[in-house]
Amino acid sequence: VFVCVCVCTPQCSSHAQVNELKAVVSECNRGLWWKVMMCTEIENLALRQIVVTSTNPRSGAASAPAIKETSEPQELNVLDQIIAMALERTATMTHADQSSRYRALAARHDALRTTWIKVMGSLPGPEHWREGNVSEQ
């Protein structure tokens, strides 16, 4: 059983959304080091979002567009990348076919990102990201 313990501030961990995302990461079928890295990144994104929003309240006003079902790849925000990587390896209920599985995963992804936007004001922008790409780590 994996329990994500990250060095964080009470401001981040008090948000149910941060804990919900860390729970999704902890339940996925990935290595322990990856889970620790992603939980830490979620904490860091939340903390940066809180700092940016508290110093500039207008920065959190814009929301991100919804993810569309298309066959073409889309540019994903760093938080979307973390959610997608965790959900892809999460054991889910059995579905009749792959398309229904991916629709269920897309709905879960959209619910997680919508809740983040409601709680944090917007998805993390480039000013919240640390150097490098999360998927490369």
Side-chain angles (χ1 to χ4, degrees), residues 11 26 35 50 52 70 84 93 95 97 106 119 122 134-136:
Q11 291 173 322
S26 71
K35 291 177 182 185
I50 290 167
V52 168
T70 65
M93 300 181 311
H95 295 280
D97 58 11
V119 172
S122 68
V134 170
S135 62
E136 294 173 356

Side-chain angles (χ1 to χ4, degrees), residues 108-127:
R108 179 77 171 127
H109 186 133
D110 193 48
L112 289 166
R113 87 192 301 267
T114 299
T115 305
W116 179 280
I117 292 169
K118 285 180 184 174
V119 172
M120 298 293 185
S122 68
L123 289 174
E127 69 273 9

Side-chain angles (χ1 to χ4, degrees), residues 86-105:
L87 288 177
E88 178 59 29
R89 297 245 187 125
T90 301
T92 58
M93 300 181 311
T94 53
H95 295 280
D97 58 11
Q98 284 292 83
S99 63
S100 64
R101 177 180 185 270
Y102 284 111
R103 279 194 299 276
L105 290 175

Side-chain angles (χ1 to χ4, degrees), residues 55-77:
T55 58
N56 185 7
R58 301 182 126 227
S59 67
S63 63
I67 297 174
K68 299 176 185 166
E69 288 187 38
T70 65
S71 59
E72 297 179 20
Q74 297 181 40
E75 181 76 24
L76 293 179
N77 172 290

